[in-house]
Amino acid sequence: MRHVIALDVGGTGMKAALVGADGTLLHEARRPTGRERGPDAVVESILDFAADLRAHGIRELGEPAAAAGVAIPGIVDTARGTAVYASNLGWRDVPMRDLLSRRLQGVPVALGHDVRTGGLAEGRIGAGKGADRFLFVPLGTGIAGAIGIGGGIEPGAHGSAGEIGHIIVRPGGPPCGCGQRGCLERLASASAVSEAWAAASGDPEADAADCAKAVESGDPRAQQVWQNAVDALADGLITALTLLDPHTLIIGGGLAEAGETLFTPLRAAMTERIVTFQTQPLIVPAALGDTAGCLGAGLLAWDLLDGPDGPATAPTDPTNPPEVTA
């Protein structure tokens, strides 16, 4: 059965799948990244994982994978297939595409940025399906963005398009790791809400999920922390709206798991900020969860073989996936 390898590399774990031409997940697997063993060991772990996936395809599906797609964090040069820099993994200028292609006996390999790859999946087969222009914004440890245009993701001239988390929304605000102060991700990410709620509640173990529960129970301290984050997020998103005019804003990541506790005030805050020439976008939760990166990696691989209009653009409904082998 014709299939591709899809691999999503995170700071602590790797998710992988063998994906059929119709988008069916034929096999899924997970492994730890093992970053504590150092950057070279992480690269070797990825190569070993990919080789094992190829072997599984030969054994169970009767042929090796026709291509592979890999999503990785950090700065990615997709044209050269290089992992330019990833602070969490200690990488600098790793020729990941070439290393993987050699380990996989010469099959074509596509390399993608993790958020943009997840955005590709959300745009084609998830919450943004049918929208020719969308912005995917996961709210996790930080905040990033993927700009969807016409079925693809805009990388920018230097591979850094969509870094909405570093829009300054509170000049002179808390310092950010990027060197600026008052960046959106320092005020509206899941980690920022966790930090603010831990301070407000006096519980150093409290996190964003605890804050959301406290908001729902009517705690005024939690409501203030939450509203501050929502207001900062709306300020950042309105800047993106002014520049990009997307049809759909797709909000994902850990903070989006709060559901309407987040989306109801966020939609209201965006409406307050809309001016005469702007159009309120559809604001929706991401549909694919933590599988988005892996599914997007599969799409990248099929694009190498069939192009963006090939079979991989119409997979099985990811919200109701088929049975898969372990």
Side-chain angles (χ1 to χ4, degrees):
M1 182 180 294
R2 192 168 184 246
H3 64 279
V4 299
I5 292 170
L7 186 57
D8 178 20
V9 179
T12 58
M14 299 183 284
K15 295 178 284 290
L18 299 181
V19 186
D22 64 351
T24 301
L25 300 178
L26 305 169
H27 170 71
E28 289 184 281
R30 297 188 181 222
R31 289 185 185 177
T33 303
R35 62 180 177 178
E36 68 281 355
R37 296 182 295 119
D40 293 338
V42 171
V43 172
E44 195 59 35
S45 293
I46 294 168
L47 299 179
D48 287 345
F49 199 5
D52 289 347
L53 291 163
R54 179 179 185 275
H56 183 94
I58 294 171
R59 185 173 62 252
E60 301 295 333
L61 303 174
E63 61 180 287
V70 184
I72 61 174
I75 300 172
V76 183
D77 186 330
T78 56
R80 293 193 301 130
T82 302
V84 178
Y85 175 70
S87 59
N88 287 342
L89 300 176
W91 287 348
R92 285 189 181 275
D93 296 317
V94 178
M96 186 62 71
R97 183 177 63 195
D98 290 345
L99 292 171
L100 277 163
S101 185
R102 283 200 292 271
R103 184 65 67 92
L104 296 173
Q105 308 301 311
V107 302
V109 174
L111 197 66
H113 178 271
D114 55 356
V115 173
R116 289 196 289 271
T117 302
L120 178 68
E122 285 287 353
R124 285 201 201 166
I125 62 177
K129 186 175 181 180
D132 63 343
R133 281 172 170 74
F134 67 87
L135 178 64
F136 170 55
V137 182
L139 309 174
T141 303
I143 296 178
I147 303 166
I149 302 174
I153 301 295
E154 172 56 49
H158 307 98
S160 58
E163 289 292 347
I164 185 176
H166 298 289
I167 291 175
I168 296 174
V169 293
R170 299 291 182 269
C176 179
C178 74
Q180 302 182 115
R181 300 184 72 93
C183 286
L184 176 60
E185 73 172 39
R186 287 291 292 118
L187 294 141
S189 62
S191 58
V193 173
S194 295
E195 180 182 331
W197 178 233
S201 67
D203 179 0
E205 301 300 317
D207 62 13
D210 297 322
C211 185
K213 292 174 184 174
V215 169
E216 293 161 8
S217 69
D219 187 316
R221 299 170 303 167
Q223 290 172 339
Q224 186 61 58
V225 167
W226 197 258
Q227 192 60 50
N228 288 343
V230 167
D231 286 341
L233 179 58
D235 287 340
L237 291 175
I238 206 71
T239 298
L241 173 63
T242 303
L243 292 172
L244 303 173
D245 187 26
H247 175 273
T248 306
L249 283 175
I250 305 168
I251 309 297
L255 214 58
E257 293 176 6
E260 286 306 312
T261 301
L262 173 67
F263 285 94
T264 296
L266 177 60
R267 291 185 185 109
M270 290 292 290
T271 298
E272 291 174 0
R273 289 161 172 76
I274 292 288
V275 294
T276 53
F277 66 86
Q278 295 171 323
T279 301
Q280 173 87 310
L282 186 65
I283 303 174
V284 298
L288 305 178
D290 71 350
T291 65
C294 193
L295 290 166
L299 292 172
L300 289 178
W302 280 115
D303 283 355
L304 288 176
L305 301 172
D306 299 324
D309 298 320
T313 60
T316 302
D317 180 359
T319 62
N320 185 27
E323 293 293 324
V324 297
T325 57

